[in-house]
């Protein structure tokens, strides 16, 4: 190779490295914006300003916004897969879960230290066109397969179903961690990480396998199948289902109206804007969960029995009711004032669970766990149960589905329920 050829190769290599570095900066800046304002709110103009370019220059790296969004999501999925694969190499379930949780706390530490765009909330993947979202969902499915393997290799039948539920609840707790971890100093992360790992390892009940929920005395939180299509309840049900399936952006007024076979005018008869409908859906969801909690608090059971009764009812509602609870994935797209109100209400429900756990610790039915941390496991587990509807439908009966899903909350992964043994 001549000196000229060598210099040319060096220039190409340097240009490639600079391109890759700037492309990564664009991805990280886009991630930060998506986390703050959602996919639709992220513009090339704001993105260009964040990285010191003009808007036209962004198209040198990504000629279309959807390609950039997919690249942002892929980077987060790559990180999740690496964290899961690293954890999977540990020798036993407890060590694997600890490793996976530690990776998330280490990431939060880096974020607190000022690094930007490390991971992106995945809540809006389903708002993408099917062609774009399909490979992302397939990637996520691979990650779930790795996490499911934390609890045992080559398990089949009900054992595999149990491990799927464990993986689902663990992943959802990690997705919520960026929100509630802001309440803690990084100097407390080691303790919080250890306490959270303990909850997943051993569950909440002082007696592993103590799963005896009692029927609750008021079913006002359940919905029927016979609501007229042009009623407020019908609109809220259709909106809740569609937002849960397609995300906030994918649940347009046109689609909601078409689902009910009514006009857009009928929609605007009940609400001035879609944001108003979503806020009302959140209010209805939280009213229903609150009613379940209060009914459980009156149940003839000890502290853990009351918690188990609330979990059983709420999970079954998510699995089978015509109108499930609204997924918090819709939060990101709400205006800030409305979002703050929803988060405040969610925190109050979490605090009620924390109080119920404290009562159970006092009467000896709940393990001496950190009640606040435990509530941050309970809330996302209930919220995400909707995503497990298809999984639940494959189980032998509804009660078994609920028990398998709740088992990691009851007993951790230290033992399997009798049905699985």
């Amino acid at each position: 190779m001549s000196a000229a050829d060598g210099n040319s190769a060096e220039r190409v290599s340097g240009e490639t490295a600079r391109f890759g570095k700037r492309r990564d900066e664009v991805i990280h800046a886009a991630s930060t914006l998506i986390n703050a304002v959602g996919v639709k709110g992220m513009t090339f103009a704001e993105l260009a300003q964040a990285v010191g370019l003009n808007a036209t220059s962004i198209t040198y790296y990504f000629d279309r916004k959807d390609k950039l969004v997919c690249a942002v999501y892929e980077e987060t999925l790559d990180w999740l897969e690496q964290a899961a694969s690293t954890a999977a190499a540990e020798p036993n379930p407890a060590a694997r879960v600890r490793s996976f949780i530690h990776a998330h706390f280490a990431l939060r530490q880096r974020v607190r230290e000022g690094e930007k765009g490390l991971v992106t909330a995945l809540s809006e993947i389903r708002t993408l066109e099917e062609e774009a979202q399909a490979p992302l969902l397939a990637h996520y499915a691979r990650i779930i397969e790795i996490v499911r393997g934390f609890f045992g290799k080559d398990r089949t039948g009900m054992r595999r179903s149990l491990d799927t539920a464990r993986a689902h609840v663990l992943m959802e707790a990690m997705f919520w961690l960026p929100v509630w971890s802001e309440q803690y100093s990084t100097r407390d992360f080691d303790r919080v990480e250890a306490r959270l790992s303990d909850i997943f390892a051993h569950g909440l009940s002082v007696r592993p396998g103590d799963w005896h929920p009692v029927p609750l005395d008021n079913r006002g939180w359940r919905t029927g199948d016979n609501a007229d299509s042009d009623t407020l309840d019908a609109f809220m049900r259709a909106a809740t289902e569609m937002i849960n399936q397609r995300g906030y952006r994918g649940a347009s007024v046109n689609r909601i109206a078409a689902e009910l076979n009514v006009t857009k005018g009928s929609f605007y008869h009940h609400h001035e804007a879609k944001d108003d409908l979503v806020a009302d859906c959140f209010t209805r969801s939280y009213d229903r969960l609150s009613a379940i909690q209060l009914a459980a608090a009156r149940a003839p059971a000890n502290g853990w029995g009351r918690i188990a009764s609330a979990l059983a009812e709420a999970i079954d509602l998510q699995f089978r009711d015509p109108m499930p609870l609204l997924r918090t994935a819709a939060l990101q797209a709400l205006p800030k004032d409305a979002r703050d109100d929803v988060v405040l209400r969610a925190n109050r429900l979490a605090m009620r669970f924390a109080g119920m756990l404290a009562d159970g610790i006092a009467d000896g039915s709940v393990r001496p766990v950190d009640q606040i941390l435990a509530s941050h496991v309970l809330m996302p587990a209930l919220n995400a149960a909707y995503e497990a509807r298809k999984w639940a439908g494959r189980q032998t009966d509804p009660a078994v589905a609920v028990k398998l899903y709740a088992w990691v909350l009851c007993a951790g992964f230290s033992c399997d329920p009798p049905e699985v043994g």
Side-chain angles (χ1 to χ4, degrees), residues 140 144 147-149 151 155 157-173 200 315 319 377 380-382 384-385 387-388 391-392 394-395 400-409 412-413 417 420:
Y140 183 74
I144 286 290
V147 176
R148 177 165 47 209
F151 310 106
R155 282 159 60 101
M158 290 188 70
R159 290 181 177 86
R160 180 178 175 84
S161 292
L162 173 65
D163 293 343
T164 298
R166 287 167 166 163
H168 187 68
V169 173
L170 175 60
M171 289 290 285
E172 287 296 325
F200 274 102
I315 292 169
F319 285 170
V377 176
L382 294 180
E387 298 284 350
W391 168 89
R394 295 193 294 269
Q395 308 314 311
V400 169
V402 169
K403 184 174 182 176
L404 290 179
Y405 188 85
W407 192 255
V408 71
L409 306 172
F413 51 80
V420 172

Side-chain angles (χ1 to χ4, degrees), residues 49-130:
Q49 185 177 12
V51 294
L53 296 171
N54 59 56
T56 303
S57 298
I58 297 294
T59 61
Y60 178 61
Y61 303 95
F62 297 97
D63 60 350
R64 297 202 316 268
K65 183 177 177 179
D66 61 329
K67 290 183 178 180
L68 170 59
V69 171
C70 287
V72 169
Y73 284 141
E74 275 293 351
E75 183 155 288
T76 291
L77 291 168
D78 285 343
W79 182 88
L80 278 170
E81 184 170 14
Q82 179 60 50
S85 297
T86 299
E90 295 292 334
N92 55 63
R96 293 168 197 146
V97 172
R98 283 198 305 270
S99 172
F100 193 59
I101 292 175
H102 175 74
H104 285 80
F105 274 95
L107 182 68
R108 290 297 104 203
Q109 177 82 38
R110 292 170 59 192
V111 170
R112 291 282 192 91
E113 290 171 353
E115 293 190 54
K116 303 291 186 181
L118 296 176
V119 290
T120 311
L122 301 175
S123 57
E124 292 192 90
I125 283 182
R126 293 187 185 278
T127 68
L128 303 177
E129 295 298 324
E130 187 173 346

Side-chain angles (χ1 to χ4, degrees), residues 144-353:
I144 286 290
E145 186 66 30
I146 296 170
V147 176
R148 177 165 47 209
F150 289 179
F151 310 106
K153 302 298 183 182
D154 303 319
R155 282 159 60 101
T156 59
M158 290 188 70
R159 290 181 177 86
R160 180 178 175 84
S161 292
L162 173 65
D163 293 343
T164 298
R166 287 167 166 163
H168 187 68
V169 173
L170 175 60
M171 289 290 285
E172 287 296 325
M174 294 302 97
F175 289 152
W176 272 44
L177 190 147
V179 177
W180 59 259
S181 63
E182 290 296 317
Q183 302 168 23
Y184 293 89
S185 165
T186 56
R187 296 181 180 182
D188 295 322
F189 273 10
D190 286 348
R191 186 197 69 81
V192 175
E193 179 185 323
R195 293 301 93 214
L196 192 61
S197 297
D198 173 72
I199 290 169
F200 274 102
H202 303 291
L204 301 173
S205 173
V206 77
R207 291 180 292 277
D210 181 11
W211 180 254
H212 300 98
V214 299
L216 301 183
D217 60 8
N218 186 336
R219 298 301 181 96
W221 49 80
R222 294 284 184 166
T223 56
D225 293 307
N226 56 356
D228 184 82
S229 63
D230 197 19
T231 65
L232 177 58
D233 279 354
F235 272 104
M236 293 181 69
R237 182 185 305 176
T240 298
E241 279 281 358
M242 194 164 293
I243 292 169
N244 282 352
Q245 293 172 6
R246 294 176 175 268
Y248 176 87
R249 301 300 178 190
S252 66
V253 172
N254 283 336
R255 280 176 169 159
I256 295 170
E259 178 72 17
L260 295 169
N261 197 28
V262 299
T263 65
K264 286 177 65 176
S266 295
F267 173 90
Y268 290 113
H269 175 71
H270 296 293
H271 290 91
E272 292 184 6
K274 189 174 77 172
D275 286 347
D276 297 327
L277 174 61
V278 176
D280 283 351
C281 287
F282 270 118
T283 297
R284 177 70 65 88
S285 289
Y286 289 157
D287 284 347
R288 295 163 76 198
L289 180 54
S290 177
I292 290 172
Q293 289 178 318
L294 293 173
R298 298 190 298 268
N302 58 23
W304 169 246
R306 290 172 176 167
I307 296 166
S309 300
L311 293 177
E313 182 62 29
I315 292 169
D316 188 67
L317 183 151
Q318 290 287 70
F319 285 170
R320 298 196 296 148
D321 196 84
M323 182 178 174
L325 304 178
L326 188 64
R327 293 282 278 122
T328 51
L331 266 176
Q332 193 176 30
L334 283 176
K336 185 178 185 304
D337 288 346
R339 184 167 66 244
D340 289 347
D341 287 344
V342 171
V343 171
L344 177 63
R345 185 78 187 278
N347 286 338
R348 287 172 177 169
L349 294 174
M351 289 303 99
R352 183 175 290 151
F353 272 128

Side-chain angles (χ1 to χ4, degrees), residues 368-382:
V369 298
D370 185 314
Q371 304 99 281
I372 303 297
L373 288 179
S375 74
H376 291 315
V377 176
L378 293 178
M379 287 294 286
L382 294 180

Side-chain angles (χ1 to χ4, degrees), residues 11-27 53 57-63:
R11 283 197 301 274
V12 171
S13 176
E15 290 171 1
T16 300
R18 283 192 295 274
F19 177 89
K21 182 174 183 295
R22 182 50 65 94
R23 184 179 184 275
D24 287 345
E25 290 173 356
V26 170
I27 290 173
L53 296 171
S57 298
I58 297 294
T59 61
Y60 178 61
Y61 303 95
F62 297 97
D63 60 350

